[in-house]
Amino acid sequence: MFLLHNVPGPYIEFSGFAKLIKDREVRRKAEQQRCWLRVDLIHRNTSNEDGYRFIQQVLAKLAPADTAFLVHPGKLVTIAFDDALRCRLASGESILSDM
């Protein structure tokens, strides 16, 4: 079971992740963003790897065209979100579990 969050407010109100971003441009975008999307694994009947693969494919489909970055909330790792990343997420390649 998964939970989808679509929040009309900045993620920095909930997390200090932006302070850990080394790339200045990505950090600036993170500090300026005004909404966020999150998919949480609530209950699993499969492996964590399968759960992450499902989350990646959901994000690849639902993330708006102007999505600026991807954050792993447990590890506070942030990477730029672009078309190449969207394709990697959609392909099922292990991204989130490797972050």
Side-chain angles (χ1 to χ4, degrees):
M1 182 181 331
F2 295 87
L3 179 62
L4 177 68
H5 305 263
N6 186 14
V7 181
Y11 189 55
I12 59 173
E13 289 183 6
F14 301 93
S15 173
F17 80 100
K19 296 175 188 172
L20 301 175
I21 301 172
K22 292 182 172 119
D23 183 307
R24 296 172 107 182
E25 182 62 18
V26 174
R27 184 175 54 244
R28 183 185 67 74
K29 287 179 180 179
E31 291 169 344
Q32 293 178 347
Q33 60 81 226
R34 297 293 172 242
C35 61
W36 53 280
L37 176 71
R38 178 175 173 163
V39 181
D40 289 329
L41 173 64
I42 303 299
H43 176 76
R44 72 177 175 91
N45 289 326
T46 61
S47 69
N48 283 342
E49 185 68 29
D50 287 341
Y52 277 122
R53 193 174 358 271
F54 175 81
I55 289 169
Q56 288 178 190
Q57 291 170 336
V58 168
L59 291 173
K61 290 226 183 253
L62 297 181
D66 63 348
T67 299
F69 51 89
L70 175 68
V71 178
H72 190 299
K75 299 177 182 178
L76 297 181
V77 174
T78 305
I79 58 176
F81 196 103
D82 56 18
D83 290 336
L85 179 61
R86 185 184 301 274
C87 289
R88 289 177 62 204
L89 292 171
S91 75
E93 176 185 341
S94 179
I95 305 291
L96 294 175
S97 61
D98 293 341
M99 286 178 75

